[in-house]
């Protein structure tokens, strides 16, 4: 076990690097920690210098035997690859043994989203109590700007610019400015007027909890799920679903994939391209219902 101690020492350094240098969200860091701990817990390595491609393949084979899905195996390989790249950078490895290994093929699931009518139903909140006003403002803003959950939770009062745009700090500490829709701005203005009833005078967070401090990501997700039930939606709602709905609806209306990429803060266009499948489904439905040669005879 002693010979594995340096491994976990470097793992702690890597997690600190992800937190403070790469500015990754806590959830992402927790995922890396779980994947790397599971990957190396049974691995017998005498020295980091001997860690090679065969060790990586052994890790993946063990994962496959344990019944890990293709998606989870790809995540594990990605975690190992990132860790080994860090070790190369730190002079602990001469090359990345995971760089040449291909992840198992997996079907890419389409993001789930609410249609426009369902979104209107969710956001048509009539309650005027403090938490309802806050929750409506959060959901309106997330849907208006296509925010990630962590981005929404980390917003400060000063994130709203004087010109009505939203300043967001996304993955990799990258900043982007986003337009805020009229209805979302109205909901924000109502919330900001009553926000002092919850927030302390020195609290910078835009959205706060009953504890008078920044609301957490889990609480945001819990509140959205609650509102899906209250608004009588047939499907559950989570923060990712609102972001997916934003991307799908904007792409359906504009067909501007590059624009959607910028709004979502995706580093690679390939990440955004999954929404083209949803857009095609929408167009196919329109075609089937409208084209005289596509209609089925009764």
């Amino acid at each position: 076990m002693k010979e594995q101690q340096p491994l976990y020492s470097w793992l702690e350094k890597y997690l600190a690097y992800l937190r403070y240098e790469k500015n990754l969200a806590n959830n992402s860091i927790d995922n890396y920690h779980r994947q790397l701990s599971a990957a190396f817990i049974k691995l017998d390595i005498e020295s980091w210098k001997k860690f090679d491609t065969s060790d990586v393949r052994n890790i993946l084979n063990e994962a496959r035997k344990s019944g890990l899905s293709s998606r989870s195996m790809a995540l594990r390989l990605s975690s190992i690859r990132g860790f080994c790249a860090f070790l190369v950078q730190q002079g602990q490895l001469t090359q990345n043994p995971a760089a040449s290994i291909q992840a198992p093929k997996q079907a890419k699931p389409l993001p789930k989203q609410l249609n426009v009518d369902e979104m209107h139903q969710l956001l048509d909140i009539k309650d005027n109590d403090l938490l309802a006003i806050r929750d409506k403002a959060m959901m309106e803003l997330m849907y208006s700007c296509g925010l990630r959950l962590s981005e929404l939770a980390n917003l400060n009062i000063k994130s709203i610019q004087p010109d009505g745009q939203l300043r967001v700090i996304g993955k990799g500490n990258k900043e982007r400015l986003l337009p805020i829709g009229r209805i979302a701005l109205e909901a924000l203005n109502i919330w900001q007027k009553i926000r002092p009833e919850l927030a302390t005078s020195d609290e910078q967070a835009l959205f706060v909890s009953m504890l008078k401090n920044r609301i957490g990501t889990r609480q945001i997700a819990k509140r959205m799920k609650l509102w899906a039930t209250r608004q009588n939606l047939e499907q559950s709602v989570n923060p990712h679903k609102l972001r997916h709905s934003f991307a799908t609806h904007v792409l359906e209306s504009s067909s501007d994939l590059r624009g959607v990429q910028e709004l979502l803060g995706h580093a690679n266009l390939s990440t955004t391209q999954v929404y083209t499948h949803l857009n095609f489904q929408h167009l196919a439905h329109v075609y089937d219902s409208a084209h005289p040669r596509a209609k089925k005879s009764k």
Side-chain angles (χ1 to χ4, degrees):
M1 199 68 181
K2 292 181 179 180
E3 56 201 25
Q4 285 190 340
Q5 192 60 39
L7 182 154
Y8 285 97
S9 174
W10 280 107
L11 175 57
E12 292 300 320
K13 292 179 182 179
Y14 178 57
L15 296 175
Y17 166 77
L18 294 179
R19 184 182 304 277
Y20 300 112
E21 298 293 330
K22 303 297 288 184
N23 197 35
L24 293 191
N26 289 335
N27 287 346
S28 297
I29 294 171
D30 289 343
N31 283 335
Y32 276 108
H33 195 179
R34 280 194 297 270
Q35 290 296 333
L36 291 171
S37 295
F40 296 120
I41 193 168
K42 293 182 179 180
L43 194 63
D44 182 19
I45 304 174
E46 294 181 1
S47 167
W48 270 115
K49 308 301 180 183
K50 295 182 179 180
F51 187 64
D52 58 19
T53 302
S54 64
D55 291 312
V56 179
R57 294 192 189 281
N58 287 337
I59 290 172
L60 296 180
N61 286 334
E62 286 295 322
R64 185 182 293 106
K65 291 177 183 177
S66 68
L68 211 63
S69 67
S70 297
R71 182 180 180 86
S72 296
M73 285 181 61
L75 178 59
R76 185 157 301 179
L77 175 59
S78 176
S79 302
I80 295 170
R81 189 179 288 133
F83 185 30
C84 289
F86 173 76
L87 292 171
V88 171
Q89 180 184 339
Q90 298 298 316
Q92 297 302 303
L93 292 175
T94 57
Q95 60 183 3
N96 189 335
S100 61
I101 297 180
Q102 297 294 318
K105 291 184 178 180
Q106 53 181 312
K108 198 166 189 179
L110 295 177
K112 296 178 181 179
Q113 81 287 340
L114 300 173
N115 61 40
V116 175
D117 289 338
E118 289 172 327
M119 187 59 66
H120 285 316
Q121 183 177 339
L122 173 66
L123 298 176
D124 186 26
I125 297 174
K126 304 299 185 184
D127 304 46
N128 288 317
D129 65 86
L130 197 62
L131 295 186
I133 292 172
R134 180 203 64 188
D135 295 347
K136 178 177 172 63
M138 287 195 302
M139 291 191 290
E140 287 282 8
L141 189 60
M142 174 167 269
Y143 176 56
S144 178
C145 299
L147 302 176
R148 297 180 177 95
L149 174 57
S150 60
E151 293 171 346
L152 179 70
N154 290 332
L155 290 175
N156 293 323
I157 298 174
K158 292 183 179 179
S159 299
I160 303 174
Q161 304 300 291
D163 60 0
Q165 294 190 92
L166 187 69
R167 179 177 176 268
V168 178
I169 306 299
K171 285 187 176 180
N173 208 29
K174 293 180 180 178
E175 177 184 317
R176 65 188 193 278
L177 284 174
L178 300 171
I180 306 175
R182 176 183 57 83
I183 298 177
L185 272 176
E186 291 174 357
L188 276 174
N189 289 335
I190 295 173
W191 160 243
Q192 286 184 293
K193 288 178 182 177
I194 63 170
R195 178 183 169 278
E197 297 181 35
L198 271 184
T200 57
S201 58
D202 59 345
E203 178 58 62
Q204 297 301 307
L206 178 59
F207 296 111
V208 294
S209 70
M210 293 293 287
L211 298 176
K212 298 185 179 296
N213 53 21
R214 186 182 300 276
I215 189 170
T217 54
R218 290 186 179 180
Q219 186 65 13
I220 293 174
K222 184 178 179 181
R223 295 295 297 181
M224 290 186 182
K225 185 176 181 180
L226 174 66
W227 279 111
T229 302
R230 285 188 181 179
Q231 298 298 90
N232 297 315
L233 285 176
E234 294 183 358
Q235 58 172 308
S236 182
V237 171
N238 57 61
H240 294 295
K241 191 170 288 188
L242 264 65
R243 177 170 158 88
H244 293 327
S245 301
F246 160 85
T248 304
H249 298 165
V250 172
L251 186 57
E252 286 176 354
S253 300
S254 68
S255 299
D256 186 353
L257 192 62
R258 286 285 184 184
V260 173
Q261 177 193 2
E262 292 294 325
L263 290 170
L264 290 174
H266 285 162
N268 299 312
L269 187 62
S270 60
T271 309
T272 317
Q273 282 177 329
V274 65
Y275 295 103
T276 61
H277 298 294
L278 291 167
N279 193 36
F280 176 78
Q281 288 180 347
H282 168 76
L283 294 175
H285 175 73
V286 171
Y287 176 84
D288 288 341
S289 60
H291 197 286
R293 289 288 195 181
K295 292 179 179 178
K296 295 180 179 179
S297 58
K298 295 182 180 180

